[in-house]
Amino acid sequence: MGESARGKRTQPGGLTYAQSGVDIEAGDRFAGSIQAGMRRTFGPRVLDRPGGFAGLVRLDYNESLFKHNYKDPVLVSCTDGVGTKVHLGIELGKYDTLGIDLVAMCVNDLVVESAEPLLFLDYIGVNKVDQAVLSELMKGIVQGCEIAGAALIGGETAEMNDLYKPGDFDLAGFSVGVVELKRATDPTRVEPGDIVLGLASDGVHSNGFSLVRKIIEHAKLDLHAVYPEIAGDNGTPRTLGEVLMTPTRIYARSIVRVLRAYKVKKVITGMAHITGGGLAGNLSRALPEHVDAVIDANAWDTPPVFPFLQDQGGVSDEEMDRVFNMGVGYCLIVRPTFADSIAKRLEKLGERVYHLGKITKGKGQVRLSAKK
Amino acid sequence: MGESARGKRTQPGGLTYAQSGVDIEAGDRFAGSIQAGMRRTFGPRVLDRPGGFAGLVRLDYNESLFKHNYKDPVLVSCTDGVGTKVHLGIELGKYDTLGIDLVAMCVNDLVVESAEPLLFLDYIGVNKVDQAVLSELMKGIVQGCEIAGAALIGGETAEMNDLYKPGDFDLAGFSVGVVELKRATDPTRVEPGDIVLGLASDGVHSNGFSLVRKIIEHAKLDLHAVYPEIAGDNGTPRTLGEVLMTPTRIYARSIVRVLRAYKVKKVITGMAHITGGGLAGNLSRALPEHVDAVIDANAWDTPPVFPFLQDQGGVSDEEMDRVFNMGVGYCLIVRPTFADSIAKRLEKLGERVYHLGKITKGKGQVRLSAKK
């Protein structure tokens, strides 16, 4: 992996190289340059074998002190992209945080299943290997992996100049985590009386950017302008572009810590990463058929970017709730007697926690109260 | 996973849906339609939990009869695309085998590290969800996973109409396998005297298509025409397009079987999946620094498509060897006393096996004899 798993396999030659339109040397330079970044994410589980065909990660630690001693380990795996948020990055020439978004979209899904993130790989399709742009993208991916505690053990950069327009690229991320079978999230354990906690989002995250871009176009907004209602109160006022590019919050580390703290008691009965589909669309995936989640729509603070976008685009409330996270990026369903201690622990880990509501008998639905 | 992991997260709403340019219903229909295909690839290790946020696969079997009882399991993981072969598929309107290519590019890399493929996920970036095209793509992915013995436990279809031109798409694959640490491929075990076996390729596979397309353009070749020198001797003559779209051979199942048969003796000391970089470029990755692989360039049959492309494009021998597999898609380095029995076993599994050469003292290089 490493050099081998990165950009080696999409290097066709040509009648001459130049004629085939693929710059092998640029690809090789890029592959070399990211080795150091990748290594920063390697924990003791990674087998560092340069030149291999794939990345190798031990399932468990070798040192007995850290051993999980899995009895029936389950691999949890998912893939995701950052959608049309890439366009915004391309328009703004801002590439250093899209990698955080990419990692976040994957690892936040893994921890919903109670898995501990192990490894991450990226796929980048580009028009042309542009060392400067790719380095910025990789910077974000490395940073995201460090935050999430996942080893970046490989990736692929595919130069396809007929598919991608000059300057364009697409990103896909893949992540794997592990959980002991008996500790994997089990939706059937959610019960009436359980409490729903919400963790604050850092803004729009990585969903709904087709609508965001439509609103920008419709209302003739300027990405480089400062709009006072969303520019923030502290320090340098932020432009619309900066506000929108704020990376997706990575909840993985906080969630893994909390899961470890309540390993035996299993007081967290369900979780949800709030992405496209919004709070209701995603929280409902954590519910068994015989319960509802009754949510107080006034329980959390909606970041100003959402009413701003809504006003500018004349978007309905229902549409906003369905497309955006509206301020809650992650939910936990917990046993009522532990709700406060879990909330406190999450706050200590740097999360802003809301008591959103509770679980009642029902039909697997999320019921949102009217907003005041 | 499943419905959840497929196409759910790239569905922004819009001022209205139509205005945002994303057809959520088409995405949902597609997600539903591929469930049956995905389930076909599920073995007993997959935990089937519809609505979850990620795919779950047990590392080991539950039934004691099949248990591997891993002591120190290593996860082996890689990602790849099919490069500009997607363009050829798009030009030809032929989508049903690109998925096989995608799976092959990943799982053939996994087995090089002696891993048994466990799971696969795909990422498809598209201009617009076209049920007919995506179904064909998924058909190939499912087929590839069935051949490789990997469970297709998730995927993502991202509709991005500003990034991809109408009709265009990109594919990325991601695969994970597992191997007991002490049985993982260890390049330091390769010794002078070891024999190099080659497995026949099924043609161009998935590398070098930028050059292929350049040759087609340069020599004004017609993808729909039958060129007698490459059309084949049996049955209906194949068009150039058909010859070029022949899917990448999946060696994973044969390799896994052979690895199991020689589990204790570890008589296979190295392997290589021959992709971009050709035989020398990839086989050298399996060599420790103190040995060479001396290869008889006349030991295998070069499929007619390669001299055909070379003639049409006026490509040098060196360039051909560096870009294409030239007829050998996978290599094994084996202990000399077992070379014949391993070759026979692989032939019984349907592979065409060549005795390519042997390992000598050297400098980590592949030395190819001159062609007669």
Side-chain angles (χ1 to χ4, degrees), chain A residues 263-322:
Chain A
K263 202 147 86 171
V264 182
K265 289 172 196 157
K266 296 209 289 182
V267 295
I268 298 166
T269 55
M271 289 183 278
H273 178 208
I274 311 305
T275 58
L279 181 62
N282 287 286
L283 183 55
S284 64
R285 293 160 68 184
L287 302 178
E289 280 178 15
H290 63 284
V291 304
D292 281 356
V294 180
I295 303 297
D296 174 6
N298 305 291
W300 74 94
D301 300 327
T302 304
V305 66
F306 294 114
F308 175 79
L309 290 171
Q310 181 168 17
D311 286 352
Q312 296 291 338
V315 183
S316 72
D317 287 348
E318 295 70 35
E319 196 68 355
M320 291 297 292
D321 287 344
R322 188 155 52 168

Side-chain angles (χ1 to χ4, degrees), chain A residues 4 9 14-15 17 49 53 55 57-58 72 75 80 109 113 162 164 170 185 207 213 313 319 322, chain B residues 9 14-15 17 49 53 57-58 72 75 77 80 109 113 162 164 170 185 207 213 285 313 319 322:
Chain A
S4 54
R9 274 159 285 153
L15 301 149
Y17 288 149
R49 295 192 174 175
F53 285 72
V57 180
R58 300 169 87 120
D72 202 346
L75 301 182
D80 213 339
D109 275 358
E113 309 295 345
D162 282 348
Y164 296 99
D170 196 9
T185 303
N207 290 95
R213 295 177 65 232
E319 196 68 355
R322 188 155 52 168
Chain B
R9 273 160 286 154
L15 301 149
Y17 288 149
R49 295 191 174 175
F53 284 72
V57 180
R58 300 169 87 122
D72 202 346
L75 300 184
S77 187
D80 212 339
D109 275 357
E113 308 296 345
D162 282 348
Y164 296 99
D170 196 8
T185 303
N207 290 94
R213 294 177 65 231
R285 293 160 68 184
E319 195 68 355
R322 188 155 51 166

Side-chain angles (χ1 to χ4, degrees), chain A residues 168-184:
Chain A
D168 274 7
F169 54 84
D170 196 9
L171 299 174
F174 301 103
S175 194
V176 177
V178 60
V179 60
E180 181 65 47
L181 177 61
K182 69 174 183 187
R183 283 200 277 275

Side-chain angles (χ1 to χ4, degrees), chain A residues 10 123 125-126 158-164, chain B residues 80-102 105 123-126 133 137 141 164-173 205-210 212-213 223 244-245 248:
Chain A
T10 43
Y123 173 88
V126 292
E159 196 173 294
M160 297 197 274
N161 49 33
D162 282 348
L163 191 62
Y164 296 99
Chain B
D80 212 339
V82 300
T84 45
K85 192 172 186 176
V86 293
H87 273 296
L88 211 67
I90 293 167
E91 277 171 59
L92 290 164
K94 180 167 169 57
Y95 310 110
D96 61 336
T97 53
L98 287 171
I100 300 176
D101 288 301
L102 189 67
M105 290 304 286
Y123 173 88
I124 311 181
V126 292
V133 172
L137 290 175
I141 293 172
Y164 296 99
K165 292 187 284 285
D168 273 9
F169 55 84
D170 196 8
L171 298 175
H205 285 180
S206 310
N207 290 94
F209 274 86
S210 288
V212 168
R213 294 177 65 231
L223 287 169
L244 292 173
M245 286 301 290
T248 307

